[in-house]
Amino acid sequence: MRTLICGSLAFDSIMVFQDHFKHHILPDKIHMLNVSFLVPEMRREFGGCAGNIAYNLKLLGGEPVIMATVGEDFSLYADRLDALGISREAVRTMPGSYTAQAFITTDLADNQITAFHPGAMFFSHENDASQARDIGLGIVSPDGRDGMLSHCRQFHAAGTPFVFDPGQGMPLFSGSELLEMVELADYVTLNDYEAELLQARTELSLDALAARVKCLVVTRGEEGSRFYVEGRQIDIPVVPAKAVVDPTGCGDAFRAGLLYGIAHGWDWEATGQLASLMGSIKIEHRGGQNHTPSRDAIAGLFKATFGKTL
């Protein structure tokens, strides 16, 4: 099944400052801050929620189709997607724009200073989710504000089941807008903080929100995840990782497992278990797309951990 993944594609430039920010920022001079950090270590990662979700779904043998708006500097990422066999037929280049980019400087205490340039994400509403061909399932993940709203409406109007994944885009919307997108969706996925924020914005409990969709999923870090479905709750344990290296992109890997299970008609327990496994595999590697297990390797881990066949 071809799955349309609406969301961001981005470059992440990650730099390491070999000291502590606090040694170079004078508290009584913050009103006139002017600092420079030498960062001899730097790496550039391929990221964005749509890119990360599609990457993980492809590892599972799924058929992701990315819908995103990118800038004129996208060629390196485009070459990567082509090499991975991930369709970019619904990726649109916006003239005069940069691809979304995050510039992250980390010190030795893991404090971070981040600057994010959304660039071409501002134009995500110019893509129409209903125009993508042969799509059986979709997801609306963090993207430009207007794009997220319109893509939810387009999926619903086209009769295509989809997952609403507001993520870090949630503060962009009013309570009524969030409730509209929940009611248009078939499935909703959140982390525990987002779940609290959604309840506060909509003034509805998780049980009340879950009653509006087929399934509402809340990830809870080390406590695993909870699936709210048909008036009951299904708790899925976290899969212990060999090493906790970097949580960046773990939520996106989880969502890829969720999409795979939905696309293949799995029950919610098995779907949650696969999603949990994908998050565990990712957390053992730095960056959102640097883990490279084969599908057979994932299947072997799934069998060994849960006794189930991929």
Side-chain angles (χ1 to χ4, degrees):
M1 178 184 293
R2 280 162 53 93
T3 302
L4 188 64
I5 302 173
C6 300
S8 61
L9 288 169
F11 293 110
D12 298 328
S13 295
I14 302 165
M15 297 152 280
V16 179
F17 176 50
Q18 300 294 333
D19 201 341
H20 296 79
F21 293 142
K22 65 181 181 181
H23 296 159
H24 300 267
I25 298 176
L26 302 176
D28 60 339
K29 300 294 183 182
I30 289 179
H31 65 287
M32 50 182 293
L33 188 65
N34 186 359
V35 295
S36 177
F37 302 110
L38 178 65
V39 287
E41 180 183 337
M42 172 178 165
R43 71 181 192 276
R44 198 178 200 197
E45 302 283 2
F46 298 99
C49 292
N52 292 342
I53 294 170
Y55 178 81
N56 284 279
L57 187 55
K58 188 68 176 181
L59 290 178
L60 286 167
E63 297 182 72
V65 178
I66 296 174
M67 175 168 278
T69 45
V70 299
E72 294 178 339
D73 57 343
F74 187 66
S75 59
L76 190 63
Y77 209 146
D79 290 344
R80 172 177 174 77
L81 294 177
D82 290 346
L84 292 168
I86 296 175
S87 172
R88 54 184 180 90
E89 64 195 62
V91 175
R92 178 184 296 196
T93 300
M94 308 307 299
S97 296
Y98 289 106
T99 301
Q101 307 192 38
F103 301 90
I104 305 165
T105 303
T106 303
D107 73 0
L108 295 181
D110 286 331
N111 296 304
Q112 290 188 339
I113 297 174
T114 300
F116 180 71
H117 174 66
M121 274 178 56
F122 277 131
F123 304 98
S124 63
H125 59 279
E126 296 193 17
N127 280 328
D128 187 340
S130 66
Q131 297 301 306
R133 60 180 180 85
D134 301 326
I135 299 299
L137 178 66
I139 184 170
V140 176
S141 59
D143 205 352
R145 179 190 181 282
D146 292 344
M148 293 178 70
L149 268 170
S150 61
H151 294 154
C152 285
R153 292 166 179 165
Q154 290 156 5
F155 273 129
H156 183 76
T160 303
F162 75 97
V163 178
F164 176 44
D165 171 28
Q168 62 263 39
M170 193 180 295
L172 301 174
F173 302 101
S174 67
S176 61
E177 289 169 334
L178 288 167
L179 184 57
E180 177 191 356
M181 289 186 282
V182 168
E183 292 181 335
L184 291 171
D186 297 85
Y187 317 95
V188 174
T189 181
L190 312 154
N191 65 27
D192 47 3
Y193 174 79
E194 293 157 4
E196 293 295 330
L197 185 56
L198 183 61
Q199 291 176 91
R201 287 287 176 91
T202 62
E203 299 182 344
L204 291 171
S205 68
L206 282 180
D207 287 333
L209 289 164
R212 288 162 163 77
V213 294
K214 294 178 181 177
C215 182
L216 183 146
V217 181
V218 179
T219 58
R220 303 183 297 159
E222 294 179 355
E223 296 181 14
S225 59
R226 177 167 292 166
F227 285 55
Y228 294 77
V229 56
E230 297 177 348
R232 59 195 175 96
Q233 298 176 11
I234 303 171
D235 286 335
I236 306 296
V238 69
V239 176
K242 295 177 182 177
V244 178
V245 175
D246 181 10
T248 303
C250 285
D252 297 327
F254 181 98
R255 282 147 181 77
L258 183 67
L259 290 169
Y260 186 92
I262 293 171
H264 288 80
W266 286 11
D267 63 58
W268 290 114
E269 181 181 60
T271 297
Q273 290 168 342
L274 178 61
S276 181
L277 177 64
M278 293 302 294
S280 175
I281 291 171
K282 207 298 325 155
I283 206 169
E284 296 175 359
H285 300 80
R286 193 170 298 281
Q289 300 180 26
N290 293 323
H291 50 299
T292 58
S294 66
R295 188 179 188 281
D296 286 344
I298 297 172
L301 288 170
F302 195 48
K303 183 71 172 179
T305 305
F306 295 108
K308 296 178 180 176
T309 302
L310 185 60

